[in-house]
Amino acid sequence: MAIEIVATGRYLPTRRVTNDDLAKTIDTNDEWIRSHTGIGSRHYAEPEQATSDLAYEAAMNALENFAPGKAAETALTLDLVIVATSSPDYYGFPAVACIVQDRLGATNAGAFDVSAACTGFVYALDAAAGMLAFGNRKRALVIGSDVLSKITNWDDRGTCVLFGDAAGAAIIERTDAPSTGAGKRGLIHSVLHAQGSGAQELKCERGGTRNPYKDGETLEKATHLYMNGRAVYNFAVKAFTDVMQELLDLEGITMERVKKIIPHQANERIVQAAAKRFGLPEDKFFMNIEKYANTSAATIPVALDEYAHTGDLKKGDIIMTVGFGGGLTYGGNLIVW
Ligand code: COA
């Protein structure tokens, strides 16, 4: 029995905003953003688009890629819909996954959200795989979707230029392929970690039960995303390389056996630092941060879908995902395609 990714999909909102566009209203410039992060542009959701709208589009794209013209039929075969997000349509409930489940007509599926910030897809993929390994469940839809532009503090130039909106999706399935030995397929290892002591370094301070809205309050900066960039940067470089090494050790292989690394992309420099530490060429990593910026839980599934469509990824290739983000969380998956 193996847990295999059988289709992927993505959705980027149509509104594309370059660094020069941002510089018209924010005290920033293309040179600073590119040299400090590698970001050139990002996509933003429209005012009427919420996280579930992006998630739905990515899910439909994955369903179409799985069986063209049969999205509705395939949706009925789903046993689980899981959405990784940190910018849900509604605080607490209903889950984004329930809204997506309804729109897809996936009436046979259970649905819930995973809150692990930018590591969300890594966590959700492993949760789904574990749940498919037991009981009668066979097929799951795992989505990473975030609209951070709606919780961005536009007065903080150190964070507002870093993020974009997007959703990515994967359909995973329990198959008869072997999960060990020669010819093994699918998700073979995951490592999931948290360093809750860093919870305050990346957060939305207001609106939850710790610090609820006050009567009469509407918007204020504290409802928006706060990040201690330097602290998160230092955490990320170590977390990133630790996860890479851990996944290699679990499988007993060296990096030569890994075809591509699909990293969370918060800052090109973090990936460059990891490449340097492992002595790897930068093209070992599939990068799209220049086009999309940091799209939080969507980054890894969007990159995975883009990479899968390049034609470079063949059956039997080993790929690795590596994520890190708020929580602080970090982790990765090792997958035989
Ligand atoms: N445009 C122009 N200048 C900017 C700017 C912007 N958008 N943002 C910050 N600056 C300025 C600062 O004001 C500061 O100026 P000063 O030296 O005159 O005070 C200078 O640039 C350096 O700021 P600093 O915050 O020290 O930059 P940095 O080199 O640490 O880079 C980040 C900032 C956010 C790019 C970096 O810390 C980072 O990538 N952190 C991790 C982010 C991350 O991984 N987040 C997501 C986790 S999922």
Side-chain angles (χ1 to χ4, degrees), residues 27-29 32-33 36-37 118 157-158 161-163 202 227 229-230 232-233 236 264 266-267 269-270 294 324-326:
D27 181 17
T28 188
N29 56 76
W32 190 96
I33 300 173
H36 283 72
T37 69
C118 300
R157 67 177 183 168
V161 302
L162 304 177
F163 298 98
L202 185 49
M227 179 174 71
R230 204 40 80 78
V232 175
Y233 186 95
H264 176 56
N267 186 332
R269 285 172 162 188
I270 294 171
N294 177 355
F324 56 89

Side-chain angles (χ1 to χ4, degrees), residues 3-5 82 84 114 119-132 140-143 169-173 187 189-190 192 300 304 321 332-335:
I3 306 294
E4 296 189 72
I5 296 177
I82 305 177
V114 166
T119 324
F121 186 79
V122 168
Y123 267 70
L125 195 60
D126 195 42
M131 292 176 77
L132 291 186
L141 174 64
V142 184
I143 304 168
I171 300 173
I172 71 168
E173 205 171 276
L187 181 64
H189 299 290
S190 291
L192 306 179
I300 289 175
L304 180 62
T321 70
N333 316 109
L334 200 68
I335 299 161

